[in-house]
Amino acid sequence: MSPKPGNESATLPPLAGRSGRWYSLRLEYDSSRTRSPWWTPILSVVLALLLCAVFIAANGMSPLVVYEKMFRGAFGTSYGFTETMVKAIPLLLCGLGIAVAYRISVWNIGAEGQLTVGAMAATAVTIYFPSLSSFWSITLMLVFGTAAGALWGLMTAVPRTHFGVNELITSLMLNYVALLALDYVVFGPWKDPKGFNFPGSPMFTAAQSLPVLGSTRLHIGLIFGLVAVLIYYLMIRFTRWGYELRLIGANPTAARYAGIHIKKHIIIVMLISGGLAGIAGMAEVSGVTHKLMQGISPGYGYTAIIVAWLAKLNPLGLVVTSILFGGLIVGGYSVQTIGLPSSISEMLQGAILFFLIAGDMIHRFRIRRSA
Amino acid sequence: MDFTTQLLIAAISAGTPLLLATLGGILTERAGIIQLGAEGLMLMGAVTTCIVYIRSGNLILALLSAVAITALLGMVHSFLCVTLRANQTMSGLAMTLFGSGLSAYVGKSISGIPLPGSLPKLDLAALKPVPVLGELFGRLDMLTWFSLLLVLVLHLLIHHTSWGLHLRAVGDNPATADVMGIRVQLIRYCYVTAGAALIGLAGADMVLAYAPTWNEGLTAGRGWIAVGLVIFARWNPLRALFCAYFFGALDSLGFRIQLLGSAVPSYFLKMIPYVVTILVLMYLGYRNRNKPSGTPESLGTPYIREQRF
């Protein structure tokens, strides 16, 4: 790197006897290199696989066998692949919501709770309006699910904008509240009387279920996800709103001076973020499980954070990473057949995130010999 | 034992892990580094304690391993946030995800196995006749005493020693501290590591004093409540004591109300600590809107020294 103007060191003679030794090497930070190279996400996945291989080996299993099992389970068969796509749908919707909020540095980690209340609101439609036509029932479920998720997002946004409360804590606390509310309804008022005492709502009728592709479990929630991605791309790229978001994201101070109402934007992005997670929840109950039950989400809301981050908020990247992480979840299930816990996929996700944030920074350093 | 004493004991027993984790968070954040990995660190501390205690039967070894493992994770967090200047929020989230995944993975083999023992309690026979305190003090275990001592030590450290002055300087204005010859990066490494170890100890306390077996996701968001408590306590150890016990009381109050045969479903009672966290934060935000909140001024901003020479 050429010496910067004003950097006097370039003109000073080197200290006697120090050049050329190993300890004269030093790390130099260049804050101007903000765009990380395209390969950092790929490298971070590889390194995470290597790190977790150590833990798997320490537990007495062969990492190669485990990873092969995971990969085959997720992508090796047509059943596995459609399952992966089924898992990718909520990840895509939640990840998109998180990406929208993160555009202006609003950290929504409450997608899990927003998804849960979305699923609950959709189920409420089936319980209180049991005999609607297919069209009305699906439409109403979609509206209710979105509204509930958005409301949950609003409950994070308003403390942030009007009381200065960190949205990370609020959104996470609301996750626990939503999960407890879910427990309450599935064990209590909405429990299926014919369900052999199993905690869960009655099964949805065919009219209350989303159409699926052929004989697979892949439902039209996929279309919701892809349409949402397309709208996200168009809105961010071509509208005044998207421009304002990009401006706030780039420089909030400048945006404020430019007269952009940041609080309003925080509320809007959290409504969108929560609404998208709510749609994901509605699609899960209506398209996959066909009833409300405990553990409706195996941590989709948390995985979606990594999906959004790994995709660098890029629409196409979101689609790719959702499928990858859908595969990771399905792969996690498939190792259960060889007696391993599915939390292996959660461990991998955390490790990927570690290497990713490190990789985003590491390329800004270069080793230089001190003069 | 009357209801008040019972509630007090329950509040302290539920509050101790919160207190330890909050103190760990205060140390980390006083040095200017956000600590959102508390949930993952607590889980790692808890699972390490369980595994080592069940396998070796040695309580001290179990506690030391929990501290060592979480200190190591603290160093990872410091490396990312201090040396690499990575995003502190994301690093904390990664810690929580990785910690909950790894703890579930390694804890699978010991899930549900009861621990061979619990924490030794101090025998204070001399205090027995004293009405409430005698009963109370006889029931506090060694980690509770340790946490009480720690509150005092940290209070003195932060506010009354030159080390504390350095710590506060590093958290408030690292550039000035650097000019004064304080080793900003070294101090940040030390306190982030020590803070992580304390949060790990909080996890150990959860399994030893509160829930005597390992279960996946055992902390149930208490790490996050501790993150909130750091803010309530305004980064102050003495306040942390009261905040942690207040939340400990809330936590156990739900359980007590249930035992008294309340008509309110237990799920709503379990929501109390989470909802109160949000409400208190909102109240504090409203009350302190024009006042300094006690936040270390450079919290969350990595320190980049301009090149010397």
Side-chain angles (χ1 to χ4, degrees):
Chain A
M1 199 175 70
S2 58
K4 289 193 189 106
N7 186 347
E8 303 300 325
S9 67
T11 61
L12 289 174
L15 291 169
R18 289 204 58 183
S19 57
R21 302 235 182 109
W22 64 270
Y23 56 74
S24 67
L25 297 179
R26 67 194 167 89
L27 281 176
E28 198 172 73
Y29 183 74
D30 182 356
S31 55
S32 65
R33 306 174 85 189
T34 47
R35 288 190 76 90
S36 47
W38 58 269
W39 45 262
T40 48
I42 298 167
L43 187 68
S44 56
V45 172
V46 173
L47 288 174
L49 286 172
L50 286 175
L51 176 71
C52 292
V54 176
F55 290 113
I56 295 168
N59 217 28
M61 297 292 286
S62 157
L64 275 179
V65 171
V66 172
Y67 288 157
E68 204 227 305
K69 185 92 190 161
M70 286 180 78
F71 186 79
R72 259 173 207 246
F75 299 103
T77 62
S78 64
Y79 172 77
F81 186 69
T82 51
E83 277 303 292
T84 295
M85 294 303 289
V86 168
K87 302 281 185 258
I89 295 166
L91 291 178
L92 180 60
L93 285 163
C94 294
L96 187 61
I98 290 164
V100 172
Y102 185 64
R103 281 264 159 200
I104 58 170
S105 296
V106 172
W107 302 91
N108 178 20
I109 55 171
E112 186 80 2
Q114 293 148 11
L115 182 146
T116 304
V117 294
M120 284 165 66
T123 309
V125 174
T126 69
I127 288 182
Y128 297 111
F129 310 98
S131 46
L132 289 174
S133 71
S134 176
F135 173 81
W136 282 111
S137 147
I138 299 285
T139 311
L140 210 57
M141 284 164 88
L142 199 57
V143 170
F144 269 52
T146 316
L151 176 74
W152 222 242
L154 188 70
M155 279 162 62
T156 297
V158 170
R160 158 83 193 255
T161 51
H162 289 78
F163 300 92
V165 181
N166 189 326
E167 72 277 12
L168 279 159
I169 298 174
T170 330
S171 59
L172 200 103
M173 295 289 113
L174 288 173
N175 285 350
Y176 291 104
V177 174
L179 288 175
L180 284 166
L182 173 70
D183 282 356
Y184 168 67
V185 292
V186 297
F187 280 103
W190 292 358
K191 189 156 127 184
D192 184 5
K194 297 191 286 290
F196 304 105
N197 228 13
F198 181 81
S201 74
M203 281 300 268
F204 290 11
T205 62
Q208 292 155 343
S209 301
L210 289 177
V212 291
L213 182 78
S215 59
T216 66
R217 304 210 309 154
L218 191 55
H219 54 89
I220 63 156
L222 184 64
I223 313 284
F224 299 167
L226 294 176
V227 168
V229 167
L230 188 68
I231 294 173
Y232 165 75
Y233 172 73
L234 296 175
M235 293 286 277
I236 292 288
R237 195 79 185 74
F238 297 109
T239 64
R240 180 197 160 96
W241 175 76
Y243 171 73
E244 290 187 350
L245 282 196
R246 280 185 288 149
L247 194 60
I248 300 171
N251 189 341
T253 319
R256 197 164 51 243
Y257 283 120
I260 294 175
H261 203 323
I262 295 187
K263 282 185 179 179
K264 190 185 80 185
H265 278 291
I266 291 176
I267 289 180
I268 294 173
V269 295
M270 277 309 298
L271 284 173
I272 296 174
S273 200
L276 283 167
I279 295 177
M282 175 270 172
E284 276 303 291
V285 281
S286 174
V288 184
T289 60
H290 303 297
K291 64 173 177 179
L292 190 68
M293 53 185 190
Q294 261 191 312
I296 193 85
S297 157
Y300 289 131
Y302 302 107
T303 306
I305 300 167
I306 315 176
V307 166
W309 192 259
L310 197 69
K312 310 241 172 259
L313 317 184
N314 173 306
L316 191 64
L318 276 166
V319 177
V320 175
T321 50
S322 312
I323 296 172
L324 177 72
F325 277 76
L328 202 55
I329 294 174
V330 175
Y333 290 144
S334 65
V335 294
Q336 287 176 328
T337 56
I338 48 173
L340 285 173
S342 63
S343 49
I344 200 166
S345 82
E346 213 178 326
M347 179 168 81
L348 267 168
Q349 292 168 21
I352 291 173
L353 191 55
F354 264 131
F355 285 110
L356 192 67
I357 55 178
D360 277 350
M361 302 307 291
I362 260 176
H363 79 282
R364 297 190 190 183
F365 289 87
R366 44 176 53 186
I367 297 170
R368 242 192 120 197
R369 193 176 272 176
S370 350
Chain B
M1 229 180 344
D2 60 353
F3 184 78
T4 329
T5 321
Q6 273 184 358
L7 186 64
L8 211 56
I9 290 168
I12 293 178
S13 116
T16 303
L18 289 176
L19 177 60
L20 284 166
T22 308
L23 291 175
I26 289 176
L27 272 191
T28 312
E29 302 209 344
R30 277 280 183 173
I33 305 292
I34 302 175
Q35 177 56 282
L36 294 177
E39 181 80 4
L41 287 168
M42 273 179 84
L43 283 166
M44 284 307 293
V47 80
T48 313
T49 310
C50 284
I51 290 176
V52 178
Y53 200 15
I54 288 172
R55 294 274 149 82
S56 76
N58 187 334
L59 176 65
I60 302 296
L61 188 68
L63 285 174
L64 287 179
S65 339
V67 167
I69 296 276
T70 46
L72 200 69
L73 285 169
M75 281 182 200
V76 173
H77 188 54
S78 332
F79 176 71
L80 288 169
C81 300
V82 179
T83 304
L84 293 183
R85 296 146 198 175
N87 186 311
Q88 297 174 9
T89 306
M90 270 295 160
S91 174
L93 285 181
M95 183 92 74
T96 291
L97 277 169
F98 184 69
S100 52
L102 182 60
S103 64
Y105 180 69
V106 298
K108 187 83 176 173
S109 60
I110 51 140
S111 182
I113 300 177
L115 293 179
S118 64
L119 290 166
K121 293 177 170 50
L122 219 58
D123 187 24
L124 295 166
L127 276 170
K128 267 276 184 287
V130 186
V132 177
L133 290 181
E135 191 75 59
L136 186 63
F137 281 171
R139 281 165 190 272
L140 302 188
D141 56 57
M142 62 184 229
L143 271 179
T144 309
W145 286 110
F146 174 73
S147 64
L148 287 169
L149 186 69
L150 202 65
V151 169
L152 197 66
V153 170
L154 290 187
H155 170 72
L156 293 175
L157 173 86
I158 293 175
H159 298 285
H160 298 283
T161 65
S162 60
W163 283 4
L165 190 65
H166 291 180
L167 170 63
R168 282 180 287 147
V170 163
D172 280 332
N173 197 334
T176 311
D178 197 11
V179 171
M180 299 294 286
I182 298 170
R183 307 266 311 263
V184 175
Q185 304 222 336
L186 181 72
I187 286 189
R188 285 192 164 171
Y189 260 89
C190 290
Y191 284 105
V192 173
T193 306
L198 276 183
I199 299 171
L201 202 58
D205 187 68
M206 273 227 59
V207 283
L208 287 169
Y210 197 64
T213 53
W214 166 258
N215 280 306
E216 197 178 323
L218 159 124
T219 52
R222 286 190 180 74
W224 287 99
I225 290 185
V227 171
L229 283 175
V230 172
I231 304 173
F232 300 163
R234 286 193 247 156
W235 293 268
N236 182 329
L238 289 182
R239 275 180 212 275
L241 181 73
F242 295 105
C243 297
Y245 286 171
F246 173 64
F247 269 76
L250 279 183
D251 208 353
S252 45
L253 197 61
F255 187 61
R256 306 264 137 196
I257 294 174
Q258 210 181 323
L259 285 186
L260 291 176
S262 146
V264 183
S266 63
Y267 307 102
F268 292 106
L269 299 173
K270 283 187 202 153
M271 283 177 195
I272 293 174
Y274 307 112
V275 175
V276 171
T277 306
I278 299 174
L279 293 179
V280 174
L281 281 175
M282 282 169 69
Y283 168 70
L284 283 182
Y286 174 74
R287 201 188 60 182
N288 297 336
R289 62 199 177 285
N290 297 321
K291 279 192 242 159
S293 61
T295 320
E297 274 163 39
S298 68
L299 183 65
T301 34
Y303 172 57
I304 305 169
R305 171 153 64 180
E306 293 306 314
Q307 281 169 326
R308 290 202 294 189
F309 309 109

